[in-house]
Amino acid sequence: MIHREHHEEIAARFPRLNRCLTGYDLAHIRTPDRRFDLNAILCGSEGTLGILAEAKLNLLPIPKHSALINLRYASFDAALRDARALTAFGPASIETVDSKVLALAQRDIVWDGVREFFPDDASGPARGINLIEFVGGTEEEVEKPLLRMTAALAAAGQGGGRTGYTVARGEGPVGRIWGDAQALGRAATHDRRHSPKGRAMLVKEWLRRLSAAGVDPVAETRRLRRTAMWRGFPARMRNTLARRRGEEDFSHAVKEAMDGCLACKSCVGGCPIKVNVPGFRAKFLELYYGRYLRPPRDHVAGALEHLLPVMARASRLADAVVSGPVGRTGLRWLGLVDTPRLSGIDLRAELAMRGLALATPEALRALSEAERRRAVILVQDASTTHYETQLVLDVLDLLRLLGVTPWLAPYRPNGKALHVHGFLGAFGRVAASNAAGLRALAGTGVALVGIDPSMTLTYRAEYAEALDGRDLPNVLLLQQWLSRQAMDGPRAGPARYRLLAHCTERITATASLRDWQSVFARHGLELEVLAAGCCGMAGTYGHEAEHRGTSERIYDQSWRRHVAVPVSAGGLLATGYSCRSQAKRLDGVALPHPAQALLQALRRADPAPA
């Protein structure tokens, strides 16, 4: 009916695309011989017209050679309209990129590796791009159609909105361009429900059903936070038993999709519409567990930041209990695997040996103006303080070597795990208390810096939402503060390093990775930031038994190949605690933090005791 009554309007208005895999392909409902084309009808309909129960695929040999023409346009519309004509040259694929996606790619650190293929034109930056790929079993099979197309482009000039083009040849350049054009990190499940769009659509439908049932999620959240947990226990128990009996509730489908979210925030920085899955996931979990019982593991994860200082006072005993028969049984019951061990280093004793102290507003205000300018406060986080204490000490030693007087902020829980697991009421209280303490320290005029990217960036994102309207503590990443200081320090001998950044840092604080490069360059060292997605650990996610396999598959997608490269290619470093933990448990490799590599290099250049 649509085609019969509107075919003239469709022919006039529908854009001429080389492929139609998103939305309804109205222009190709019928084949040239007037038959219905089921491929065109179903592909892109996203299950709204029918469900594919079986599909037959034609397989082709993997090509050994490839080349990519990167054709620039004055508008996205021009790129779309031209794509149809370009198919006449027989490319293997044509990918059209708009200005929003291009702008996101330009803000990523790996853009430097592909910048040469996307220069600005006299009229300004490109507003649309067609990536036109030619592949073949031999170089000749690639070059023949490639040369035919480049000759045609040169002859046509800048007609049809074209503004220029470049050519990339070989696996390296072509692979870098494709990697930057695609979203950071790839789904390990290949299930649409586990994509940002899939999860967003599920939540949208869940909210619609709540509204239809007369439930206001905001009011329900407030009610849950006012009610003592034990009061709702009987109702949650009944609902949980009903769930086990198979009672239907759409929120279970939403929960299943949310369980696959790593809270890495690739969706926030890598998506043009900034879908924040970790944010609405936390809000959903708060409401979901207001109706059903939480697994005990969530309570352990939420309380761990408070428990770690107590465990650290008797670290050997704590590790012995956890690694003993009772502890192993308890971890299996909780569904946890590969849990880390405490460092066993007495941080307070080490501070005393170095003549350093915990920061207090009174002690900082007693400093002279000149002393405050040379001082910095290191904000502790649960992971590095208790599992990587040596890293904390190495950062303090690096700062001293650079002529800075470091102070250590008193340990306070950050609350990140509470937010991830949806304990938003408790998270708000922890955030308020921690922020107040940090504001008091920052009020003395001494800067605050953090080591772990995930924990430090919480002060800018999750704290901003939880403490809406209140002053936030300005906690800089270590490299951001170092890059802003007018300090020379010793220059190390020439050395090359490679850096794997934490995915949250890469996505939400991209410029800070360049700060590491500038800090290393200041001391005569070269630092290459590698293109990689998520390591797959993501806090407690990789330690959860049901996610162990997925966690390793995510690691295999980009991290493992970098870790496997010989040391001769440059020392490999990692900024994230969870990333270093993942590399250690899956490949048995201990990756240093950039500060540790810098400290070691500077000590070699200036062997005087710190």
Side-chain angles (χ1 to χ4, degrees), residues 231-312:
R231 286 185 178 274
F233 179 81
R236 292 197 301 273
M237 174 62 79
R238 287 195 301 271
N239 293 333
T240 301
L241 293 175
R243 180 185 62 188
R244 292 175 181 175
R245 292 194 300 267
E247 184 174 292
E248 186 176 350
D249 185 342
F250 183 74
S251 52
H252 299 328
V254 182
K255 168 66 163 50
E256 181 185 2
M258 294 302 167
D259 283 344
C261 173
L262 281 72
C264 66
K265 296 193 176 178
S266 290
C267 53
V268 179
C271 173
I273 59 174
K274 308 295 183 186
V275 174
N276 184 357
V277 176
F280 64 66
R281 172 184 182 267
K283 294 175 182 177
F284 166 80
L285 290 176
E286 182 175 32
L287 286 171
Y288 182 83
Y289 286 122
R291 180 172 173 78
Y292 299 96
L293 292 178
R294 278 185 177 274
R297 180 177 65 196
D298 284 11
H299 294 284
V300 173
L304 190 58
E305 283 191 297
H306 297 271
L307 295 174
L308 280 173
V310 179
M311 296 168 61

Side-chain angles (χ1 to χ4, degrees), residues 198-228:
R199 292 189 178 108
M201 293 302 291
L202 282 170
V203 168
K204 183 177 180 180
E205 172 61 15
W206 174 68
L207 290 172
R208 186 194 67 79
R209 295 190 182 201
L210 286 182
S211 178
V215 177
D216 180 351
V218 175
E220 179 65 10
T221 296
R222 291 172 180 162
R223 185 191 69 80
L224 289 172
R225 294 183 186 180
R226 291 194 305 265
T227 306

Side-chain angles (χ1 to χ4, degrees), residues 130-191:
N130 274 324
L131 304 177
I132 308 145
E133 187 174 32
F134 294 91
V135 298
T138 65
E139 288 187 14
E140 184 181 3
E141 290 178 4
V142 174
E143 288 297 320
K144 188 175 179 179
L146 179 71
L147 293 175
R148 186 163 63 92
M149 183 171 181
T150 53
L153 291 174
Q158 296 188 352
R162 298 171 184 167
T163 60
Y165 70 91
T166 60
V167 179
R169 289 179 170 86
E171 180 182 356
V174 171
R176 290 200 302 273
I177 292 172
W178 280 129
D180 204 45
Q182 296 169 356
L184 298 176
R186 299 180 179 178
T189 63
H190 304 290
D191 187 331

